[in-house]
Amino acid sequence: MFTTNPFDDDKLREECGIFGVSRAETASAIVALGLHALQHRGQEAAGITSWDGHDFHTHRAMGHVAGNFDRDEVIRGLPGDTACGHVRYSTTGETSLRNVQPLYAELNSGGFAIAHNGNISNAMKLRRELIRRGSIFQSTSDTEVIIHLVATSSYRTLLDKFIDALKQIEGAYSLIVMTPEGMIACRDPLGIRPLVMGKLGDATIFASETVAFDVVGADYVRTVEPGELVIVTNEGDIRSHRPFGETHARPCIFEHVYFSRPDSIIDNSSVYSVRKAIGAQLAIENPVDADYVIPVPDSGVPAAIGYAQQSGIPFELGIIRSHYIGRTFIQPGDKVRHLGVKLKHNANRALIEGKRIVLIDDSIVRGTTSLKIVQMMRESGAAEVHMRIASPPTKHSCFYGVDTPERTKLLAHKLDIGGMQDFIHADSLAFISIDGLYKALGETKRADIRPQYCDACFTGDYPTTLTDQDDVVVQNQLELLAERVV
């Protein structure tokens, strides 16, 4: 049985990853390799759908890509020169096979397969309306709403039906769609979730990150622009549609901080280089006297290198990470649960004993891991433990495809920085400023009007309407009022 690692519940989970290829021999094998490269974006489930010119074929499974798609018989069961795939974390809908993507349906125009990275923030309202009109849902995923909107659209062509569906949804989406006519790749008008385009010989490839192109030997071509639909026909013709007109991009800033692999390129910038720049800016804003700069592996490593280079404090590996715990670890009993952090991280006692150390991490979510890491350092003899975070305090939940805890469970929502420092028992705690983060990304500062990125998890400035959340708030207020009347 697949279970989530209980020691990974203090990180923001990396939404999902999508990969598609059109007009390539053994397309499904290429997709499987691409999904391997995107495994960090979703580790609960994986799926691939292929098109052989006559029929669609799908294989979906819980767990990792390896073990599910590294067998010849599985790939042989996914024939055709066009295929798309998905790795998933459950941000909307429960963890079950019926929600694993790509989702597939037979429409009046033929087969329709869809892989989605993001979250539709008015999905519940649309779902209620569609059910009232007679739609029958097979999953609890917000992605299925798109299928029903396409199926019930009054427009004539499939492309127009699809655009009609997109214009009814709110929130964040990068999509890869397969139909008998070809492949469509698109991003929401704000470009919140990433999507890039590449070439492998005559084949056209789409992926959440450029690192997937490196793995399959493809060349990066360009970013799919916010609000753009790229259509690849079965004959190889490529067309671009922009049904939303001019848009103001607000891509997710956390892709640079944590989600994307450091060897990826986002908007022509190396993620690794940006994270080093974030660490350098963090050192400028929050210096400290110490003997070593130590990353919390693995996500804190590039920022720690930047911090060390800027501050002149030596970079050392004071925490050693085990790469074998995985995310299928059997749930331990309560008596050993508190020891779980040492299964993943262990202190390099010989290095840190008697030393003043600066711990660098990408973020603090609930704070429980930071507390255990600081405690581990003290138990190993560290003289001082200073915590520096390569992002501003995470005070708000994400509704755009990131599995964030409820706001009330975010440590930065409950406590100020002094309170957070006391909670994790550090000698000092500091975060990079929001303007400092933007500066590390090449901007002068965060724009007061129409900011350059979606940074709602830090600022609470959500770039779209949150219809479903607003409905929940209203419903809760009505229920509270009813209780008072009674």
Side-chain angles (χ1 to χ4, degrees):
M1 178 179 177
F2 183 84
T3 57
T4 300
N5 178 0
F7 311 126
D8 274 340
D9 64 353
D10 196 25
K11 284 287 185 184
L12 300 181
R13 293 187 173 179
E14 304 96 320
E15 342 110 9
C16 301
I18 57 176
F19 187 98
V21 57
S22 174
R23 303 184 73 247
E25 292 185 16
T26 63
S28 58
I30 295 172
V31 171
L33 287 174
L35 293 181
H36 271 288
L38 299 175
Q39 186 74 85
H40 60 288
R41 299 185 70 89
Q43 301 188 23
E44 287 185 349
I48 296 176
T49 297
S50 69
W51 162 250
D52 65 6
H54 300 282
D55 298 303
F56 286 87
H57 309 269
T58 296
H59 182 81
R60 303 182 297 166
M62 305 303 297
H64 291 185
V65 179
N68 286 316
F69 291 98
D70 56 358
R71 302 190 305 276
D72 288 341
E73 62 269 23
V74 173
I75 298 301
R76 285 197 301 269
L78 297 167
D81 66 0
T82 300
C84 69
H86 187 272
V87 288
R88 179 177 192 262
Y89 268 138
S90 56
T91 57
T92 298
E94 80 272 11
T95 301
S96 66
L97 189 59
R98 65 175 176 161
N99 287 332
V100 180
Q101 297 187 29
L103 298 183
Y104 176 79
E106 285 285 346
L107 307 184
N108 188 47
S109 56
F112 186 93
I114 184 170
H116 172 205
N117 170 209
N119 201 60
I120 299 170
S121 57
N122 64 336
M124 289 191 296
K125 181 178 180 181
L126 290 171
R127 185 185 183 97
R128 289 193 298 267
E129 293 173 354
L130 286 162
I131 290 174
R132 190 162 53 245
R133 286 155 43 189
S135 292
I136 300 174
F137 282 75
Q138 301 299 313
S139 75
T140 59
S141 169
D142 60 335
T143 309
E144 192 179 356
V145 167
I146 300 173
I147 296 176
H148 287 274
L149 290 174
V150 173
T152 58
S153 173
S154 60
Y155 282 84
R156 186 177 62 85
T157 69
L158 179 61
L159 178 60
D160 287 337
K161 290 175 181 289
F162 184 55
I163 293 172
D164 180 38
L166 296 183
K167 289 186 175 181
Q168 296 179 62
I169 63 178
E170 302 167 358
Y173 55 84
S174 285
L175 302 171
I176 296 176
V177 170
M178 289 168 46
T179 76
E181 299 173 9
M183 179 173 285
I184 305 172
C186 67
R187 292 174 77 192
D188 64 77
L190 297 178
I192 298 175
R193 301 266 68 88
L195 191 63
V196 289
M197 178 179 174
K199 294 289 288 186
L200 180 63
D202 294 331
T204 301
I205 300 181
F206 300 98
S208 294
E209 294 184 39
T210 60
V211 67
F213 297 158
D214 299 335
V215 169
V216 303
D219 295 320
Y220 168 69
V221 175
R222 66 178 179 88
T223 295
V224 176
E225 297 298 325
E228 181 185 19
L229 278 70
V230 180
I231 300 168
V232 184
T233 68
N234 292 328
E235 293 72 37
D237 297 327
I238 301 175
R239 305 194 307 271
S240 174
H241 287 256
R242 298 180 182 270
F244 300 99
E246 292 295 322
T247 62
H248 174 73
R250 292 279 300 273
C252 173
I253 202 168
F254 222 92
E255 290 285 347
H256 295 276
V257 174
Y258 174 67
F259 292 141
S260 294
R261 266 181 46 165
D263 45 345
S264 284
I265 304 294
I266 300 179
D267 295 329
N268 299 316
S269 296
S270 159
V271 174
Y272 178 77
S273 296
V274 167
R275 288 180 186 167
K276 283 178 62 181
I278 293 172
Q281 183 65 29
L282 180 61
I284 292 171
E285 293 183 356
N286 302 289
V288 63
D289 290 330
D291 298 303
Y292 296 132
V293 173
I294 293 175
V296 177
D298 288 322
S299 57
V301 171
I305 294 172
Y307 192 101
Q309 291 175 347
Q310 177 64 40
S311 66
I313 303 171
F315 171 95
E316 294 285 357
L317 295 179
I319 302 173
I320 308 303
R321 180 188 173 190
S322 169
H323 292 268
Y324 303 102
I325 180 173
R327 292 180 186 262
T328 55
F329 189 82
I330 299 170
Q331 292 279 354
D334 291 339
K335 291 181 67 175
V336 299
R337 187 178 181 87
H338 71 283
L339 299 175
V341 70
K342 290 190 175 182
L343 289 173
K344 186 173 183 180
H345 298 122
N346 194 40
N348 187 352
R349 178 185 290 270
L351 175 76
I352 67 176
E353 190 169 13
K355 302 299 183 181
R356 301 166 299 165
I357 62 172
V358 186
L359 289 173
I360 308 293
D361 205 355
D362 59 89
S363 60
I364 292 180
V365 183
R366 290 180 173 90
T368 52
T369 296
S370 299
L371 170 63
K372 293 172 183 176
I373 293 290
V374 171
Q375 180 181 356
M376 182 193 302
M377 296 294 99
R378 296 205 184 280
E379 290 174 350
S380 298
E384 296 177 10
V385 182
H386 303 274
M387 197 89 181
R388 296 293 181 266
I389 306 300
S391 63
T394 303
K395 297 181 178 181
H396 305 271
S397 298
C398 176
F399 301 105
Y400 299 122
V402 180
D403 188 13
T404 316
E406 296 176 6
R407 189 181 180 193
T408 56
K409 296 180 180 178
L410 296 171
L411 191 65
H413 169 72
K414 298 186 290 186
L415 302 171
D416 61 14
I417 293 178
M420 296 174 73
Q421 177 182 322
D422 292 341
F423 178 85
I424 67 173
H425 301 313
D427 290 288
S428 71
L429 170 66
F431 297 76
I432 193 171
S433 67
I434 188 69
D435 283 341
L437 180 57
Y438 273 79
K439 187 173 182 179
L441 286 162
E443 306 289 345
T444 304
K445 65 174 186 176
R446 182 183 191 269
D448 295 330
I449 301 175
R450 300 175 74 185
Q452 303 93 322
Y453 292 92
C454 176
D455 53 22
C457 53
F458 307 133
T459 65
D461 180 9
Y462 295 97
T464 74
T465 304
L466 301 176
T467 297
D468 290 343
Q469 295 302 313
D470 293 341
D471 287 351
V472 169
V473 170
V474 171
Q475 182 62 35
N476 289 341
Q477 290 174 339
L478 289 174
E479 290 176 357
L480 181 61
L481 181 61
E483 290 176 0
R484 289 175 178 172
V485 170
V486 173

